[in-house]
């Protein structure tokens, strides 16, 4: 039976980030506009006014000081409050697959492996931009990996479930080297006009190379996995 190891990890983050101060300013402008437009109903007691957010509130509630984002302008625009990502035709790689490839290349470089050395790709993320045929297939094609590829979603635990699957596939001999990609564009689903959550999510992509231990130094042993 093969012994799995995580030989390398990779990371990609967007070039743009939003500080708490920037996010608070945008939200508070939006809240003031919302209250102004509904002043009559607020005065009549029909609805409650929106309260301001603050840097102190965000850091106490989450510990977050800034977050990487794929589109800064749309999120900070009080009239939009959401990222604006241009639609791509089907003959172009999707944005989610593209950022997965960026993290995968980082992991491959760190592992000293080539894409053609990979015989399975798992895209494990909380949501998929293109469900068919699979995000993993897009990544596989863009990198030039062989073998098979599939997606899996398990919300925030997706990457760990992907590691669990890769561990089993390598132990059973069904694959020798697996690329796990976890691209996340969470600002697309975050509600930036809700004070209690407007600060939570950012965008990033991570990757892992999991392979059968061949005695090379470095990497991390997979001591065990357990999923419920």
């Amino acid at each position: 039976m093969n012994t799995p190891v995580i030989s390398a990890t990779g990371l990609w983050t967007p070039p743009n980030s939003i500080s708490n101060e920037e996010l608070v300013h945008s939200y508070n402008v939006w809240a003031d506009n919302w209250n102004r437009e509904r002043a009559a109903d607020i005065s009549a007691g029909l609805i409650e006014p929106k309260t301001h957010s603050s840097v102190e509130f965000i850091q106490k509630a989450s510990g977050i000081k800034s977050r990487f984002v794929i589109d800064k302008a749309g999120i900070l625009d009080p009239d939009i409050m959401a990222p604006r990502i241009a639609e791509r035709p089907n003959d172009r790689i999707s944005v989610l697959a593209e950022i997965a490839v960026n993290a995968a290349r980082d992991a491959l470089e760190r592992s000293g492996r080539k894409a053609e050395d990979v015989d399975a790709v798992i895209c494990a993320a909380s949501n998929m931009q293109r469900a068919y045929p699979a995000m993993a297939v897009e990544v596989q094609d863009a990198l030039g990996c062989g073998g098979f590829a599939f997606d899996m979603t398990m919300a925030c635990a997706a990457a760990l479930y992907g590691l669990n699957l890769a561990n089993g596939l390598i132990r059973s001999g069904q694959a020798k080297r697996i690329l796990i990609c976890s691209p996340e564009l969470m600002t697309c689903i975050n509600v930036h006009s809700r004070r209690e959550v407007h600060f939570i999510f950012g965008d990033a992509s991570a990757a892992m190379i999991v392979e059968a231990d061949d005695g090379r130094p470095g990497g991390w042993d997979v001591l065990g996995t357990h999923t419920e």
Side-chain angles (χ1 to χ4, degrees):
M1 181 179 293
N2 296 321
T3 301
V5 296
I6 301 172
S7 61
T9 60
L11 176 66
W12 177 85
T13 54
N16 298 316
S17 67
I18 295 177
S19 68
N20 288 345
E21 290 80 4
E22 291 174 303
L23 200 65
V24 165
H25 174 75
S26 173
Y27 174 84
N28 289 346
V29 171
W30 174 86
D32 288 342
N33 291 341
W34 191 94
N35 291 338
R36 189 179 305 108
E37 292 169 1
R38 295 160 179 81
D41 288 339
I42 292 172
S43 297
L46 298 176
I47 57 175
E48 293 292 324
K50 299 294 183 183
T51 57
H52 277 190
S53 185
S54 70
V55 171
E56 294 74 20
F57 162 68
I58 292 175
Q59 293 187 184
K60 183 177 180 180
S62 67
I64 299 170
K65 295 183 179 180
S66 64
R67 70 284 300 145
F68 289 104
V69 296
I70 198 77
D71 176 59
K72 184 172 182 174
I75 294 172
L76 293 182
D77 187 334
D79 294 327
I80 300 176
M81 302 290 279
R84 286 293 180 260
I85 302 172
E87 185 177 356
R88 293 182 176 181
N90 289 333
D91 60 356
R92 286 188 61 196
I93 189 171
S94 64
V95 175
L96 202 67
E98 182 176 76
I99 69 172
V101 167
N102 292 340
R105 285 179 173 147
D106 185 37
L108 287 167
E109 181 177 353
R110 292 171 184 269
S111 71
R113 303 295 190 183
K114 297 179 180 179
E116 52 264 35
D117 297 327
V118 173
D119 54 6
V121 177
I122 301 173
C123 186
S126 61
N127 59 88
M128 303 295 169
Q129 187 176 4
R130 289 176 180 166
Y132 181 84
M135 296 295 304
V137 172
E138 280 196 272
V139 174
Q140 181 187 40
D141 179 66
L143 290 171
C145 301
F148 57 92
F150 62 89
D151 294 344
M152 60 173 297
T153 59
M154 289 296 293
C156 295
L160 294 178
Y161 274 83
L163 175 59
N164 182 58
L165 274 177
N167 179 70
L169 289 168
I170 288 171
R171 285 188 181 278
S172 65
Q174 296 181 71
K176 292 182 179 179
R177 189 167 297 109
I178 299 175
L179 167 64
I180 304 171
C181 299
S182 297
E184 299 287 3
L185 295 180
M186 297 301 292
T187 57
C188 294
I189 64 173
N190 196 31
V191 183
H192 294 95
S193 59
R194 286 180 57 191
R195 179 179 181 272
E196 63 270 26
V197 298
H198 78 111
F199 52 86
I200 292 178
F201 294 123
D203 303 315
S205 181
M208 290 184 280
I209 305 293
V210 185
E211 58 184 294
D213 190 1
D214 61 2
R216 290 199 310 166
W220 300 268
D221 294 334
V222 180
L223 300 179
T225 61
H226 178 71
T227 54
E228 294 182 349

